[in-house]
């Protein structure tokens, strides 16, 4: 069978591949500590699950408009408006089957052959692949390691060209845990506006932030409207409300852009599953219950962030790492363990999985295979166990 050029460069998601392998080893009876997962280890809060059950029982089982139930789009707009203090037009909201679909809509609609998209790196593994699916070119750009890899205009200046159409940011960042301050977002936004580029800001970890009492990180919509470039915000219910399997994400953009995303979606998936939308209405509009769920999960992630930092300092004292300010990942460097400077994190992670039964994601999935990502979305006991096993392999001087 021959395949089309559309999928010539397509690879399966590297992060999903590792966690699938770890799950299958565990199913075979191996003692595996899986810290590769990119999802909260909490169940969806009951008030949300109950709303879905009620919805199904009361007949919310048919198609909805492709951009989502107007009630959900309005609830999301109200939520964004309340958080940013800005007027948010609900018709700019398009509900998708997860942020992944919102990202596909954006890249497929906004770029194509001959176009380039700047992707701040280390990046979440899916961005470059989705840009490639649109047959455009992803151009990865790293900020300084001393700035937790966050990009600044001088980094972008090195790679911008006449073909550049937009910039992808992710804050809080998967895999680094870095968070852009409002001032940093303002500077980047001014840079993009001057060059007439759009900014796609993926804020899916917005509610997992360790620098504010309500666990809410700064976001691009917090900037006054006249200061921001054309923005496509993407966010969703997966991480904030522990709803990864429900597949509810959304984009917020100008209404003109939202209409294009809606047309695309209407030809591909129609709408996000209706019971999931009914559940999401409850998540986005029952502010009191939602804040209490976010606080409960946020305080657990904060405690675990402190735990992984303490374990790094105690058990792997010479290993460079970034202190996570948000999300639930610890990003650390393992090239110090490569023999004579040769090797890669992919081989190191596979040795760790084989010898010690610990699953981490190699940094190759995020653009730099000298680093690895450890997810601390797991119990304290599992995290401690994993660190002891990692330290045991390092102490045994198992060099690849
Ligand atoms: N964006 C980032 C940065 C992520 O880490 C993930 C999932 O891991 C997603 C988007 C996808 O989220 P969703 O479940 O809404 O498709």
């Amino acid at each position: 069978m021959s395949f089309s050029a559309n999928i010539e460069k397509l690879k399966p998601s590297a992060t999903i591949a590792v966690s699938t392998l770890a799950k299958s080893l565990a199913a075979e009876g191996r003692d595996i500590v899986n810290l590769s997962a990119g999802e909260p280890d909490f169940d969806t809060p009951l008030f949300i699950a109950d709303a879905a059950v009620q919805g199904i029982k009361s007949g919310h089982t048919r198609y909805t408009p492709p951009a989502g139930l107007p009630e959900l789009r309005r609830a999301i707009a109200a939520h964004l408006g309340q958080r940013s203090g800005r007027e948010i037009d609900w018709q700019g909201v398009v509900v998708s089957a997860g942020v992944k679909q919102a990202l596909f809509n954006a890249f497929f609609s906004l770029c194509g052959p001959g176009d380039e998209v700047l992707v701040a790196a280390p990046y979440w593994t899916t961005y470059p692949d989705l840009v490639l699916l649109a047959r455009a070119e992803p151009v990865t750009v790293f900020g300084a390691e001393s700035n937790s890899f966050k990009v600044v205009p001088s980094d972008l200046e090195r790679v911008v060209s006449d073909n550049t159409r937009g910039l992808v940011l992710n804050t809080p960042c998967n895999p680094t845990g870095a968070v852009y301050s409002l001032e940093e977002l303002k500077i980047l936004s001014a840079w993009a506006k001057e060059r007439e580029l759009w900014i796609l800001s993926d804020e899916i970890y917005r509610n997992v932030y360790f620098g504010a009492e309500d666990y809410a990180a700064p976001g691009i919509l917090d900037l006054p409207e006249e200061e921001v470039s054309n923005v496509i915000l993407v966010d969703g219910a997966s991480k904030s409300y522990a709803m990864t399997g429900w597949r509810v994400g959304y984009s917020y953009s100008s209404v003109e852009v939202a209409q294009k995303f809606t047309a695309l979606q209407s030809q591909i998936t129609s709408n996000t599953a209706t019971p999931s939308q009914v559940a999401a209405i409850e998540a986005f509009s029952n502010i009191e219950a939602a804040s209490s769920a976010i606080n409960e999960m946020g305080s657990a992630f904060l405690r675990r962030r402190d735990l992984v930092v303490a374990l790094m300092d105690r058990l792997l004292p010479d290993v460079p790492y970034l202190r996570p300010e948000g999300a639930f990942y610890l990003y650390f460097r393992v090239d110090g363990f490569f023999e004579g400077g040769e090797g890669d994190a992919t081989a190191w992670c596979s040795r760790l999985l084989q010898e010690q039964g610990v699953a981490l994601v190699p940094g190759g999935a995020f653009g730099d295979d000298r680093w690895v990502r450890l997810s601390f979305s797991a119990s304290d006991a599992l995290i401690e166990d994993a660190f002891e096993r990692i330290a045991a392999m390092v102490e045994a001087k198992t060099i690849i």
Side-chain angles (χ1 to χ4, degrees), residues 25-352:
L25 289 173
E28 283 166 17
R30 288 268 321 265
D31 171 24
I32 301 292
V33 184
N34 185 359
L35 298 191
S36 69
E39 60 183 339
D41 58 325
F42 298 97
D43 291 331
T44 301
L46 269 186
F47 77 97
I48 298 174
D50 285 345
V53 173
Q54 260 326 101
I56 293 167
K57 287 185 174 162
S58 58
H60 288 283
T61 52
R62 295 168 193 267
Y63 293 134
T64 73
L69 288 163
E71 202 184 340
L72 175 56
R73 296 168 72 199
R74 285 201 165 91
I76 293 170
H79 164 80
L80 291 174
Q82 186 254 334
R83 206 157 63 170
S84 62
R86 254 170 77 165
E87 188 83 7
I88 300 290
D89 185 343
W90 70 274
Q91 306 214 55
V93 174
V94 176
V95 179
S96 300
V99 164
K100 256 189 189 165
Q101 188 180 18
L103 288 166
F104 175 79
N105 291 345
F107 295 132
F108 210 71
S109 307
L110 300 175
C111 58
D115 294 338
E116 294 175 356
V117 176
L118 306 183
V119 180
Y123 47 75
W124 180 50
T125 195
T126 291
Y127 305 134
D129 288 297
L130 287 184
V131 172
L132 286 171
L133 260 190
R135 301 233 224 153
E137 241 352 273
V139 176
T140 54
V141 50
F142 287 83
E145 186 174 335
S146 56
N147 193 32
S148 301
F149 293 113
K150 287 186 284 184
V151 292
V152 295
S154 56
D155 301 313
L156 302 172
E157 280 299 329
R158 280 189 273 113
V159 288
V160 70
S161 81
D162 288 347
N163 298 328
T164 308
R165 296 288 164 262
L167 164 68
V168 181
L169 291 178
N170 173 212
T171 179
C173 176
N174 174 6
T176 62
V179 177
Y180 285 84
S181 69
L182 200 54
E183 190 55 29
E184 289 168 330
L185 289 174
K186 184 174 169 172
I187 292 168
L188 288 172
S189 196
W191 180 87
K193 191 177 164 94
E194 209 183 307
R195 279 154 195 77
E196 297 184 358
L197 306 178
W198 42 260
I199 289 192
L200 186 148
S201 188
D202 180 346
E203 301 181 4
I204 194 166
Y205 295 98
R206 177 105 198 251
N207 288 317
V208 187
Y209 173 53
F210 310 123
E213 264 177 30
D214 61 356
Y215 302 100
I220 198 110
L221 292 188
D222 295 347
L223 294 170
E225 198 161 358
E226 59 286 1
E227 276 181 29
V228 291
S229 173
N230 277 326
V231 164
I232 302 101
L233 167 79
V234 294
D235 194 350
S238 286
K239 320 284 173 169
S240 295
Y241 308 116
M243 290 177 70
T244 47
W246 298 74
R247 312 310 299 132
V248 180
Y250 65 84
S251 56
Y252 175 67
S253 62
S254 70
V255 174
E256 183 198 11
V257 170
Q259 283 168 347
K260 295 288 183 204
F261 294 174
T262 307
L264 178 59
Q265 233 171 240
S266 75
Q267 298 290 13
I268 303 176
T269 51
S270 295
N271 58 272
T272 300
T274 307
S276 295
Q277 291 192 55
V278 174
I281 292 174
E282 189 65 16
F284 286 105
S285 54
N286 188 340
I287 313 269
E288 208 181 307
S291 313
S292 120
I294 285 169
N295 286 346
E296 197 180 313
M297 292 188 266
S299 63
F301 286 131
L302 173 60
R303 194 190 63 246
R304 293 165 185 178
R305 189 281 305 265
D306 291 344
L307 176 66
V308 293
V309 165
L311 287 165
M312 274 314 275
D313 292 345
R314 183 156 61 83
L315 296 175
L316 301 169
D318 300 322
V319 178
Y321 69 91
L322 301 180
R323 185 170 194 275
E325 302 297 330
F328 36 73
Y329 306 108
L330 176 75
Y331 196 55
F332 63 94
R333 232 176 129 151
V334 294
D335 54 335
F337 303 124
F338 301 163
E339 191 176 8
E342 297 284 319
D344 55 46
T346 304
W348 190 86
C349 285
S350 94
R351 177 67 65 91
L352 183 68

